[in-house]
Amino acid sequence: MPELVEVELYRRMAAPLVGATVSSVDVVDPRFIRGAGSAAAFAKAITGRALTGTDRIGKLLLMHTDGPTIGLRFGMTGVLGVDGDDGLDELVYGPSRRDPAWVRLRIVTTSGELFVRDPRILGSAILDPDTAALGPDATTITAGQLAAAVRGSRSPIKARLLDQHRVAGVGNLIADEVLWRASIAPQRPAGSLSAVEVRRLHRHVRSTVADLLDRGGSHLGRMTDQRKPGGCCPTDGTPLQRATVGGRTTWWCPAHQRQGARR
Ligand SMILES: [Zn+2]
């Protein structure tokens, strides 16, 4: 599913449309529109508006206009495209087929057309989304903010990282890669991490997200292609283990990802 990395790449694709004016909106599938008002009201509210900027908090893409802000969520299978090109060819989530019937929303502007394709319609578009409940974005989260997110929690550290109210943008693949790089077992109670481990985790959240952006996808981590039966830790060759942690399929290395703080 799209994580912070994919949504940031979508944002960069949409950014060249800033300065253009929305000439028409085609809500192909009204189920894609959330919040108050109908699909027709959504289209009316942004038609004729100028796009003034793009933004992203976690997995939420924001397109500001001189009227309402357009919020786009991509759920499990959503893809954003501009001018017929979705730009992301190697996604691990969603069907590789590009069925035109899966396009749910088209926004035509004076400098190009933006569309969202979403086979399962778990994504959505909403005007002026409420962002107050989102935690700090994983690209900019501070050490203090991460420490506050884990402090006192009995939840597995992985579940805490996946909780968008605590840290915005981390999904299943990023979480496994971060914890593998930080040498912390995913099922550890978050509150059991030592101060040293929390600082190490913070460094790896920031650096892993930056690295995956450079690599071009959440699925392009150093351990991701070993998340399969028979997969081994790329560092020490130990067979990876699988479990469900935080409701998600989780892979980790039992040799170097520590189950407890060093005494
Ligand atoms: Zn290992």
Side-chain angles (χ1 to χ4, degrees), residues 180 233 235-236 238 253 255-256:
W180 177 78
C233 175
T235 306
D236 52 50
T238 304
C253 172
H256 86 269

Side-chain angles (χ1 to χ4, degrees), residues 225-233 237-240 251:
D225 63 354
Q226 297 299 310
R227 300 172 87 262
K228 61 187 179 194
C232 293
C233 175
T238 304
L240 295 181
W251 294 86

